[in-house]
Amino acid sequence: MRIMKIAKLLKENGIRRTCGVLCNYAEYSLHRRHVFSFPSAIDIEVTSRCPLACMHCPRTHREALGLEFPIGDMDRAKGLELIRSLRGVRRIAFQGYGEPLIYPHIFEFLAEARQSRIFTAFSTSAAVVNDKMLAGLKECPPDLLTFSCDAVNMRYDDGVRENLNIEHYQDNVAAIIDAVRSSAKPVEILFHTCIVGDNYKYLDDIVAFAAKQGVKTLDISELNISFLEKWLDRLLPQDKELMMTAVDKAKETGAERGVTVGFTPQYVAQDKKKVNCRYLWQHPFITWQGELTPCCGRPFASQFTLGNVFDKGFYALWNSEQIKQMRHDIANLNCPDICRGCPYAP
């Protein structure tokens, strides 16, 4: 099995990047303070602008949370230079707390990454679609396109996605899928549903919609609410047992309709005697302003930053004394302050 995985890596990434991926995995496994390899994956937030105000998004509650949450777009020239500096990275997801499709240079960024044979991805709410976006998706789609499907019709809206025109949502998704499927480049498409409140009651609707669109994968996950404690009554399902019953039923329905349904629990019991977090070794996050943060779970530069990649360069920050100390702490099962409350923290 491992030989097959390595063979796939070689085919998709070439010898140099495959060696980097394997080295990165080894450095994580050994919990090294200094990491010679690039991370296997990076999330780059190209914009923090979004037409929605989802009730489970921290940007919606930024004032109540006391978060400094600047709204804006990544500088085009700085972003392109950043991508060129990350040629050892296997995968870049151009996403964060904004809608990637409204970023004016998203397709230029995708093309730049493609030139370096970097696997590209992003997630969209499909809230806004226009002819320019559809043309860009046909010409230069990502390798992986994820649709965020927390509510797909009028049966369940209830403020989950504030400002979303739910009546047009399915048409928007269908138009985007048609565009990427007409591209000469193969694109993997999947749906992702985050369990928010009681939207689990309508998972079968999402499975049916996925099947109708010919989408073969639906990933369901629980919500990371470690920074949204004030809204637990609205955000968490009222009956966990009923939620799991609905998830199991969605899996059965998916099997009948050709859709593979997966479920990722957010708060599984972690073995606190071993290192559960891999992000400081394998998967950091960069904000639209260029701030390097440990992961997508705590991307708030006003609370914590490892430095600005536009000023100092990514690789210098990737092995700064600050991040090496964090790796040392986590490897020794000491929880950094910024990580407290995270299910994967020591």
Side-chain angles (χ1 to χ4, degrees):
M1 183 63 73
R2 290 182 179 178
I3 293 176
M4 292 177 64
K5 288 183 179 180
I6 293 173
K8 183 180 180 182
L9 280 172
L10 284 167
K11 181 180 179 181
E12 294 176 349
N13 301 282
I15 295 176
R16 182 176 179 181
R17 185 172 286 121
T18 297
C19 290
V21 170
L22 296 175
C23 180
N24 182 243
Y25 179 78
E27 289 176 322
Y28 161 64
S29 299
L30 296 170
H31 306 136
R32 291 178 56 92
R33 283 167 53 97
H34 188 100
V35 176
F36 290 95
S37 61
F38 279 94
S40 298
I42 295 181
D43 287 351
I44 297 178
E45 179 184 59
V46 293
T47 182
S48 62
R49 294 186 295 121
C50 182
L52 304 183
C54 301
M55 72 176 183
H56 51 296
C57 179
R59 71 187 301 281
T60 303
H61 306 289
R62 57 188 182 274
E63 292 184 5
L65 289 168
L67 285 174
E68 292 181 22
F69 207 108
I71 305 299
D73 294 337
M74 181 171 283
D75 180 87
R76 171 186 171 275
K78 291 180 179 178
L80 290 171
E81 186 59 33
L82 172 63
I83 295 168
R84 295 183 190 113
S85 73
L86 298 175
R87 290 181 177 175
V89 174
R90 176 173 175 256
R91 170 179 171 143
I92 296 178
F94 293 104
Q95 61 193 35
Y97 283 94
E99 169 54 59
L101 278 178
I102 67 175
Y103 178 62
H105 311 296
I106 182 62
F107 300 111
E108 192 175 1
F109 279 26
L110 288 168
E112 185 65 42
R114 180 188 292 182
Q115 287 186 356
S116 299
R117 294 184 65 185
I118 297 174
F119 185 94
T120 57
F122 68 78
S123 176
T124 178
S125 66
V128 180
V129 176
N130 57 41
D131 291 341
K132 184 177 180 180
M133 293 175 186
L134 296 176
L137 285 165
K138 181 178 179 180
E139 179 67 26
C140 190
D143 294 288
L144 171 63
L145 178 62
T146 300
F147 288 94
S148 182
C149 300
D150 302 334
V152 299
N153 56 33
M154 295 302 292
R155 287 184 64 195
Y156 186 83
D157 186 10
D158 196 28
V160 173
R161 291 195 173 281
E162 193 74 26
N163 301 332
L164 178 65
N165 187 330
I166 204 76
E167 294 179 340
H168 296 163
Y169 174 78
Q170 293 197 21
D171 291 337
N172 289 352
V173 172
I176 291 172
I177 289 176
D178 286 345
V180 298
R181 283 182 176 157
S182 64
S183 171
K185 185 174 182 290
V187 179
E188 182 182 356
I189 302 172
L190 64 84
F191 283 4
H192 175 262
T193 296
C194 188
I195 298 295
V196 183
D198 291 335
N199 69 340
Y200 64 84
K201 295 177 180 178
Y202 305 100
L203 289 177
D204 276 357
D205 290 344
I206 299 175
V207 173
F209 183 47
K212 179 181 177 181
Q213 297 301 324
V215 174
K216 302 298 184 183
T217 305
L218 167 62
D219 288 339
I220 303 170
S221 66
E222 288 186 291
L223 180 66
N224 183 344
I225 47 78
S226 55
F227 46 76
L228 293 171
E229 292 88 349
K230 295 180 182 179
W231 295 273
L232 292 187
D233 289 344
R234 288 194 66 196
L235 295 178
L236 294 183
Q238 297 301 307
D239 192 317
K240 186 71 174 282
E241 186 175 343
L242 283 179
M243 182 200 79
M244 290 308 305
T245 299
V247 169
D248 291 339
K249 186 173 183 296
K251 290 180 179 180
E252 294 174 3
T253 304
E256 295 170 358
R257 307 195 64 165
V259 179
T260 300
V261 178
F263 175 67
T264 303
Q266 184 65 45
Y267 291 98
V268 296
Q270 302 286 346
D271 183 355
K272 296 300 183 179
K273 295 182 179 180
K274 71 174 185 178
V275 177
N276 297 300
C277 174
R278 61 182 178 84
Y279 291 93
L280 284 168
W281 288 268
Q282 294 189 309
H283 198 158
F285 183 95
I286 298 174
T287 72
W288 68 271
Q289 294 174 302
E291 300 295 334
L292 179 65
T293 66
C295 70
C296 61
R298 293 291 188 280
F300 313 121
S302 62
Q303 292 184 340
F304 183 85
T305 178
L306 293 161
N308 193 289
V309 297
F310 296 150
D311 296 333
K312 298 182 180 180
F314 173 80
Y315 198 77
L317 296 176
W318 187 231
N319 279 295
S320 66
E321 290 303 316
Q322 186 181 16
I323 195 171
K324 286 194 287 188
Q325 183 61 49
M326 287 188 72
R327 290 182 186 130
H328 174 77
D329 289 342
I330 288 179
N332 286 277
L333 304 180
N334 297 316
C335 184
D337 289 340
I338 190 62
C339 303
R340 296 193 185 281
C342 174
Y344 300 105

